[in-house]
Amino acid sequence: MKQRYDIVIIGGAVIGSAVAYFLAANPDFDGSVLVVEKDPTYAKASTSLSSSSIRNQFSNPVNVRISQFGTEFIRNFAETMQIGADRPDLNFHEGGYLFLASTQDQARTLRENHAVQRACGADVVLWDKNELSRAFPHLNVDDIVLASYGRSGEGWFNNTGLMYGFKNKARSLGGVDYVTDEVVAIARQGGKVSSVTLKSGQVVGAGTIVNASGPRAALTARMAGLDVPIEPRKRTLFVFDCARTPEGSANVNKGRLPLMIDPSGVFCRPEGRFFLSGCPPLEDPCADWDDFEPRYEEFEEIIWPALAERSSAFEAIKAVNQWAGHYDFNTLDHNLIVGPHPEVRNFIFANGYSGHGLQQGPAAGRGVSELIIYGAFRTLDLSEVGYERVVENRPFLEKAVI
Ligand SMILES: Cc1cc2nc3c(=O)[nH]c(=O)nc-3n(C[C@H](O)[C@H](O)[C@H](O)COP(=O)(O)OP(=O)(O)OC[C@H]3O[C@@H](n4cnc5c(N)ncnc54)[C@H](O)[C@@H]3O)c2cc1C
């Protein structure tokens, strides 16, 4: 490790590693990069605990385009990230997302979102209850007013594969060092940050610092005397077994079921021979940093009743595994914050994805690399999700939040 790097990235999971990769892969960049990661097992990183899905069905065109780039990147990942004979295929299962609306209000939102998605070229269709029932005969559609289904470009993939693909390729390209250590302090003189202090005691000079510390983003920002409205919020995922699985019964997409979002907010998707499910929590306080205890009761009290109501196939289900992770929750508007602090321009935020950070990793990593190399976004303009809106208390509007 050197005593000074052009770029120091704090956090080496999917976002930190995506930034490192896009810097190293750009021929216009010849600087040095240090990624500081305190836990190389990534056991509690959001990246490892994620449900690893990607959708184009957002309401804001910026988010639709971010995910469209993610889809394309995931599809080509093995080729882009190949190192020698090693091709890290992400096993992208293009099962689609299915949003269900049971009220006129929900249906209006789906229609409005659909118009935005179609304008961006997303392959999404709206169905009435009869069309829905033909496509997925196992569903009870009695209360359904409208459904929105992504025919392609959406699905789920290998989460840690995405992170390690970026990390390994970034290192193989040269100019990128990873160190196992924790950033405990950041030196700042007025409008500039200049170094990080590691727990081991070492001080490392930094031309630019990137905050990629996930749910701990606010702790990292505070070291530089800055605020960012991000806190850890607990989400529990359940894997369940289903005695009479409906997977294979669909009349679309080779029989495959999508990731379904019930009007109640409960979601489930196939996961091999099992299903993965979750729900919005009834109460959603800021979590303790080290509290990863699952909310076991959510399965019996919220998920199972909603799914059994939606399909008789889900009447006999049994949770076989569960875990809890932390959303990197942006309390201002539930969306990513990507860009420099307006008064400390060499401190760049790449935080606050609130449940979308895996799929947004490729676009966020590329965007941050462009800010560093060119001083501006070159491909997809992410300035709407910059830090300025935090200062101005101007939420970025996204209606399709899960
Ligand atoms: C249950 C759950 C389900 C999800 N489902 C989806 C989904 O389906 N699709 C989707 O796109 N997204 C999903 N997400 C969100 C997504 O996983 C996250 O937004 C994304 O992984 C954030 O990546 P990150 O690299 O910013 O944060 P993390 O993965 O949390 O990584 C941050 C890293 O920074 C390190 N770090 C922190 N502070 C320091 C420090 N001071 N010094 C050194 N290292 C430090 C940590 O050790 C950690 O490894 C989900 C999240 C959860 C919890």
Side-chain angles (χ1 to χ4, degrees), residues 49-350:
L49 301 169
S50 170
S51 47
S52 318
S53 307
I54 181 164
R55 60 179 159 120
N56 295 160
Q57 295 185 62
F58 287 92
S59 74
N60 193 305
V62 174
N63 276 338
V64 180
R65 294 205 170 92
I66 285 175
S67 282
Q68 285 176 313
F69 176 66
T71 299
E72 189 190 319
F73 204 81
I74 288 164
R75 280 188 183 136
N76 301 327
F77 201 73
E79 199 181 327
T80 315
M81 297 298 153
Q82 181 164 1
I83 305 171
D86 181 28
R87 290 169 56 84
D89 191 334
L90 296 182
N91 202 10
F92 185 31
H93 180 105
E94 228 164 310
Y97 268 64
L98 177 70
F99 284 82
L100 302 180
S102 63
T103 65
Q104 291 300 341
D105 261 8
Q106 288 175 336
R108 188 175 327 110
T109 303
L110 285 190
R111 278 194 200 93
E112 287 167 7
N113 296 355
H114 182 76
V116 173
Q117 293 151 11
R118 293 295 301 148
C120 294
D123 186 15
V124 182
V125 286
L126 290 179
W127 285 334
D128 63 22
K129 67 163 84 172
N130 297 324
E131 292 166 307
L132 174 65
S133 182
R134 269 199 296 280
F136 303 114
H138 73 292
L139 294 180
N140 169 12
V141 301
D142 289 351
D143 60 331
I144 297 301
V145 180
L146 197 68
S148 176
Y149 174 60
R151 289 187 298 200
S152 65
E154 301 184 322
W156 42 99
F157 56 93
N158 181 340
N159 49 337
T160 49
L162 181 69
M163 170 180 72
Y164 282 115
F166 278 134
K167 179 174 181 174
N168 295 339
K169 188 73 177 181
R171 288 160 114 176
S172 81
L173 290 166
V176 178
D177 291 339
Y178 274 72
V179 64
T180 299
D181 212 325
E182 182 175 348
V183 172
V184 293
I186 295 174
R188 175 179 152 200
Q189 299 78 32
K192 238 175 163 334
V193 284
S194 56
S195 67
V196 297
T197 303
L198 306 183
K199 202 171 185 177
S200 59
Q202 193 159 352
V203 177
V204 183
T208 294
I209 291 177
V210 178
N211 182 351
S213 21
R216 291 177 182 258
L219 295 183
T220 298
R222 225 166 286 149
M223 293 181 208
L226 304 172
D227 286 321
V228 68
I230 292 165
E231 59 185 42
R233 296 278 183 98
K234 203 198 278 186
R235 292 292 180 276
T236 306
L237 296 176
F238 297 86
V239 178
F240 67 80
D241 200 358
C242 178
R244 290 185 301 115
T245 180
E247 177 65 333
S249 68
N251 290 317
V252 290
N253 203 14
K254 300 181 193 133
R256 296 192 288 198
L257 296 183
L259 188 157
M260 176 185 75
I261 299 112
D262 191 69
S264 61
V266 169
F267 67 87
C268 79
R269 67 161 171 83
E271 175 68 36
R273 59 168 279 244
F274 299 105
F275 285 82
L276 184 69
S277 62
C279 64
L282 289 177
E283 287 175 17
D284 198 17
C286 173
D288 288 344
W289 298 112
D290 299 316
D291 177 6
F292 288 87
E293 182 73 3
R295 291 194 181 110
Y296 294 96
E297 67 283 4
E298 287 179 353
F299 190 76
E300 289 298 325
E301 291 175 13
I302 306 175
I303 296 174
W304 177 73
L307 292 181
E309 190 69 29
R310 186 56 55 211
S311 169
S312 60
F314 292 139
E315 278 170 9
I317 59 176
K318 178 174 178 257
V320 294
N321 191 15
Q322 59 279 308
W323 66 88
H326 289 166
Y327 267 15
D328 40 358
F329 194 89
N330 171 349
T331 57
L332 174 68
D333 60 17
H334 310 191
N335 277 281
L336 67 168
I337 300 173
V338 171
H341 190 280
E343 282 154 27
V344 188
R345 298 207 62 85
N346 67 339
F347 187 94
I348 300 183
F349 294 91

Side-chain angles (χ1 to χ4, degrees), residues 11 13 15 37-38 46-47 50-51 53 183 215 328 355-359:
I15 298 299
E37 171 52 58
K38 67 187 177 66
S46 304
T47 300
S50 170
S51 47
S53 307
V183 172
D328 40 358
H356 318 131
L358 208 64
Q359 63 195 281

